[in-house]
Amino acid sequence: MSRSNDTSHIHPPPRSEQPFTAVAMPVERASTIVFEDLDAFERRAERLYDGFSYGLYGTPTSRQLEDHIAQLEGAARAIVIPSGMAAIALASIAVCRSGERVLAPETLYGPARDMLLRLLGPLGIETQLYDPRLDARIDALLDSRTRLVWVESPGSGTFEVQDIPAIVRAARQAGALVAADNTWASHLLFRPLAHGVDISMQALSKHAGGHGDLLMGSLAVRDEDLFRRLKDTARYLGYGVSPDDCALCERGLMTMPVRMRHAAATAGQIIDWLSERREVVRILHPAMPDHPGHGVWKRDFSGAAAVFSIVLAPELASYQADALKQMRLFKLGASWGGVHSLVAVNDPRRGRSNLDWLPAGPIWRLSIGLEEAGDLVADLAQAFDHFTAAAGRAAE
């Protein structure tokens, strides 16, 4: 059948059916998906969980990434969503209803705590923050209305390690689910589902993406019914992910073990150097013998990530803005887990009530990237030398 020029520009010849296999993930973009006949079109809702009905609900590219994450997590199913923050919101909204309760550690990612309190609160879902060091003693906070217990181990900023198996046992007795923000460790260093957790969450923007150019989160579960609740809630909220971002994430996963091992080894050298600096009064890292939960970390984790904090001497607080300007490799930024080293300044004491163990002083969170260890030490030394010089001038 002959076609006009306009129509021919819209309808190219059929694609070749010759086999084509590449090592890279194919990127298949789509909003509209077409169906072979009326029956298939009218039954398209049956394809929501395993097939393809509309681009927002999944493409071959996003499904391949979800299958890969499920495999890495030891899960039956996984779902990818636009960010780690979106993943925390999705899991909480899918599990809880008005009149029910969520427990969250004080160390939970700050914006996620705000979301639980300010978004879920007006919807009738109560959030109670708890001391991350409670472990089995969390049973005193659980009641018949508690539907979800969040854990983040190590916790944001101060890196306390929680006894997740003990928390899971307490939650089970109360009939509550447990969700873990496992972004720091990732599936490489800790497997939440293998320790009884119901929902394993990662901000794939961090270690998995690995290059500071990707926003994505994932939820992995063992239970099919729970997966469908999450999937349904995601589509009701209109959550979808770009196939191009999925391909970036898949590429990041391929190098993730090598990057994390290298960064962790470099972090170890930097921690050794920091341990000798008088400007540092404490290093907040699970591998430190005096760190909260160190014993649990040794028992349950297979290693440490290259993200940790340092507490500086209190008298250095007024000099830190200028000290940060001395560094060229460490960039001031709020993220972590990528190839570039970053420093973030934050005071976790604001809004927390269980930090009696934490000494006074400014806190810097360091994310060690893939630069050479000696270069990073030299960069930090520039900042610390500025501290020494500024303190000396103030004493004159």
Side-chain angles (χ1 to χ4, degrees):
M1 181 178 69
S2 63
R3 294 173 173 171
S4 70
N5 194 42
D6 287 359
T7 300
S8 295
H9 277 78
I10 296 171
H11 296 273
R15 286 193 295 182
S16 170
E17 296 184 1
Q18 291 294 320
F20 177 81
T21 304
V23 294
M25 171 190 278
V27 178
E28 298 195 49
R29 304 178 186 88
S31 57
T32 302
I33 294 172
V34 296
F35 299 84
E36 58 272 22
D37 53 40
L38 179 60
D39 180 63
F41 178 76
E42 291 181 335
R43 298 173 59 188
R44 64 190 182 279
E46 298 175 5
R47 303 184 180 191
L48 284 171
Y49 307 110
D50 294 295
F52 306 103
S53 60
Y54 187 64
L56 182 66
Y57 309 139
T59 65
T61 307
S62 65
R63 291 288 166 80
Q64 182 177 335
L65 177 61
E66 290 172 338
D67 289 345
H68 196 181
I69 291 170
Q71 178 189 64
L72 295 172
E73 292 266 16
R77 292 280 206 158
I79 180 173
V80 293
I81 37 250
S83 68
M85 177 69 178
I88 296 174
L90 171 61
S92 302
I93 293 169
V95 170
C96 300
R97 298 291 180 267
S98 179
E100 297 178 341
R101 299 173 69 238
V102 178
L103 299 184
E106 291 180 342
T107 48
L108 190 71
Y109 176 55
R113 282 181 298 167
D114 292 341
M115 177 275 300
L116 292 174
L117 294 167
R118 299 178 184 179
L119 177 63
L120 268 61
L123 297 177
I125 300 170
E126 176 190 344
T127 295
Q128 180 172 355
L129 301 178
Y130 67 88
D131 182 347
R133 299 173 298 168
L134 281 181
D135 295 336
R137 291 174 293 146
I138 200 173
D139 61 357
L141 303 181
L142 296 161
D143 62 23
S144 60
R145 295 187 301 121
T146 307
R147 286 292 170 268
L148 182 64
V149 179
W150 275 101
V151 295
E152 182 174 344
S153 181
S156 291
T158 45
F159 299 95
E160 297 95 322
V161 180
Q162 297 183 264
D163 190 337
I164 290 179
I167 293 172
V168 167
R169 287 192 294 271
R172 286 282 176 278
Q173 293 180 356
L177 299 181
V178 178
D181 182 339
N182 193 44
T183 304
W184 183 89
S186 83
H187 53 272
L188 288 170
L189 305 179
F190 181 73
R191 289 281 196 90
L193 300 181
H195 288 80
V197 167
D198 299 285
I199 303 173
S200 177
M201 172 267 165
Q202 288 192 62
L204 301 176
S205 315
K206 305 298 193 289
H207 295 308
H211 293 77
D213 57 1
L214 171 69
L215 289 171
M216 192 178 293
S218 65
L219 297 169
V221 298
R222 297 185 304 270
D223 181 76
E224 177 70 19
D225 289 340
L226 181 55
F227 164 75
R228 293 192 174 208
R229 286 169 66 185
L230 294 169
K231 182 70 175 178
D232 286 341
T233 305
R235 64 188 179 93
Y236 298 149
L237 292 172
Y239 282 169
V241 292
S242 158
D244 298 87
D245 284 345
C246 289
L248 281 176
C249 187
E250 179 71 16
R251 186 171 67 179
L253 287 174
M254 293 178 185
T255 61
M256 182 175 167
V258 178
R259 288 187 285 104
M260 287 189 67
R261 282 196 298 268
H262 179 91
T266 302
Q269 297 178 58
I270 291 173
I271 287 171
D272 289 343
W273 180 82
L274 289 167
S275 299
E276 302 298 322
R277 297 292 304 205
R278 66 176 182 270
E279 297 91 347
V280 178
V281 298
R282 184 156 185 174
I283 296 172
L284 307 179
H285 189 288
M288 306 302 288
D290 63 344
H291 192 74
H294 169 73
V296 172
W297 173 76
K298 287 185 65 177
R299 183 193 72 191
D300 292 344
F301 288 69
S302 61
V307 186
F308 60 95
S309 292
I310 56 175
V311 183
L312 299 171
E315 62 270 19
L316 301 179
S318 59
Y319 311 125
Q320 63 177 337
D322 287 336
L324 289 164
K325 293 179 182 178
Q326 310 306 310
M327 294 191 290
R328 296 294 177 265
L329 298 180
F330 280 91
K331 305 297 184 182
L332 190 59
S335 193
W336 49 268
V339 299
H340 300 89
S341 291
L342 298 172
V343 57
V345 180
N346 183 40
D347 185 0
R349 302 174 187 88
R350 290 196 294 267
R352 291 191 55 183
S353 57
N354 296 287
L355 282 172
D356 54 303
W357 60 273
L358 187 67
I363 296 178
W364 288 8
R365 186 186 68 194
L366 302 178
S367 173
I368 307 305
L370 300 189
E371 301 93 344
E372 200 274 327
D375 292 335
L376 292 176
V377 166
D379 205 42
L380 284 167
Q382 293 184 92
F384 283 27
D385 290 345
H386 177 83
F387 278 137
T388 302
R393 288 192 299 269
E396 292 176 356

